[in-house]
Amino acid sequence: MRQRLAVGNWKMNNGPTEARAFMAAFLGVYAPRSDRTVALFPPALSLAAVRDALVSRTDVFLGVQNIHSEPKGAFTGEVSAGMLREFGCRYVIVGHSERRQWFGEDDRTVALKVKAVLAAGMVPIICVGETLAERESGVTEKVVGRQIAAALDELGSETLKGAVLAYEPVWAIGTGRTASPEQAQAVHASIRGLLAKRDGSLGDLAPILYGGSVKAANAAELFAMPDVDGGLIGGASLVAQEFISICRAADQPSGRDG
Ligand code: PGA
């Protein structure tokens, strides 16, 4: 069975003080579960606050929003995957549309970063998704296919077996406009088909998350889709109770509340 995941991407929100308050509220209510995985992606300065809050919780993981693709060197302002692994991070978001849009990251940069994450023994969450203009001109699957092929071509399907994918339509991120469960399922199924074509077991194993205006009110119907294995949550992961409800929606369909 594929792993179920609920991950919170705080983006540039929640400094250390707010992060500590969030963790107290979150961990006070959120009970450990063995059939879903939760990860939090605070901004770099709040990683320590979140890590320290998680010392007695092995069920919630620490992730980082970005890395540099080189292991070390003269790259002022950057942090490498190995350093973050040493710090205690397990997951890295790579190829988020905000990185592609505001920081000029292209498919090649994304592939190099995925390689660096895997080399450091961490798990990349590779984000793909189309813009509104691309969806309206009917090229969604082509765009997503190109973004995934870039990583597969660089790394090979064997290497990518440790990766997580996230379908995040750009028009749904931070807009309040979510893809319908059917729209999400259609793209997830096409991603899974593409992975399976390269390597059958990759298609079966890789969790594919949906991201883009997921909230407590719509999470269950999205996560109920057969090829949606959980969510990458931005805005709604900043409110502890809201995020807890979303995490619970990521349970296995037979799971009990926790
Ligand atoms: P959102 O962000 O949930 O605020 O739309 C999702 C994301 O960017 O990962």
Side-chain angles (χ1 to χ4, degrees), residues 7-9 11 93 96-98 127 166 168-170 172-177 210-215 232-237:
V7 312
N9 174 14
K11 308 190 180 183
I93 296 174
H96 191 281
S97 68
E98 286 152 18
C127 302
E168 298 209 298
V170 179
I173 295 178
T175 59
R177 187 178 164 192
Y210 169 78
S213 296
V214 176
K215 41 186 189 282
L232 176 45
I233 326 299
S237 72

Side-chain angles (χ1 to χ4, degrees), residues 25-223:
F26 178 71
L27 295 175
V29 177
Y30 177 69
R33 296 265 320 198
S34 58
D35 58 352
R36 74 167 98 94
T37 300
V38 169
L40 289 166
F41 293 73
L45 265 185
S46 302
L47 283 167
V50 175
R51 181 190 64 179
D52 294 351
L54 291 175
V55 278
S56 56
R57 289 288 292 257
T58 51
D59 59 311
V60 183
F61 295 92
L62 190 60
V64 62
Q65 299 172 20
N66 185 39
I67 53 134
H68 192 276
S69 55
E70 291 296 325
K72 61 180 181 179
F75 300 102
T76 300
E78 296 293 312
V79 182
S80 74
M83 294 170 187
L84 288 152
R85 163 77 194 247
E86 182 189 334
F87 187 83
C89 293
R90 172 168 178 156
Y91 293 93
V92 185
I93 296 174
V94 186
H96 191 281
S97 68
E98 286 152 18
R99 300 290 319 169
R100 294 181 192 258
Q101 184 177 358
W102 305 119
F103 301 95
E105 294 192 6
D106 58 14
D107 290 342
R108 169 96 188 127
T109 318
V110 172
L112 291 176
K113 288 192 175 191
V114 171
K115 200 172 188 173
V117 173
L118 291 165
M122 291 194 287
V123 179
I125 299 182
I126 308 170
C127 302
V128 297
E130 81 289 2
T131 62
L132 187 58
E134 287 163 341
R135 173 161 283 267
E136 285 174 346
S137 41
V139 294
T140 297
E141 293 185 11
K142 192 168 155 216
V143 170
V144 168
R146 188 207 71 220
Q147 292 169 334
I148 289 175
L152 279 168
D153 292 346
E154 175 75 27
L155 301 158
S157 56
E158 199 53 44
T159 322
L160 272 191
K161 278 183 186 155
V164 173
L165 289 148
Y167 168 55
E168 298 209 298
V170 179
W171 48 271
I173 295 178
T175 59
R177 187 178 164 192
T178 320
S180 69
E182 294 73 25
Q183 283 173 322
Q185 169 58 25
V187 181
H188 282 231
S190 97
I191 294 173
R192 200 171 298 293
L194 213 143
L195 298 174
K197 219 191 234 169
R198 299 275 186 133
D199 182 329
S201 62
L202 182 59
D204 291 339
L205 288 175
I208 308 177
L209 312 182
Y210 169 78
S213 296
V214 176
K215 41 186 189 282
N218 60 25
E221 57 179 17
L222 284 159
F223 300 167

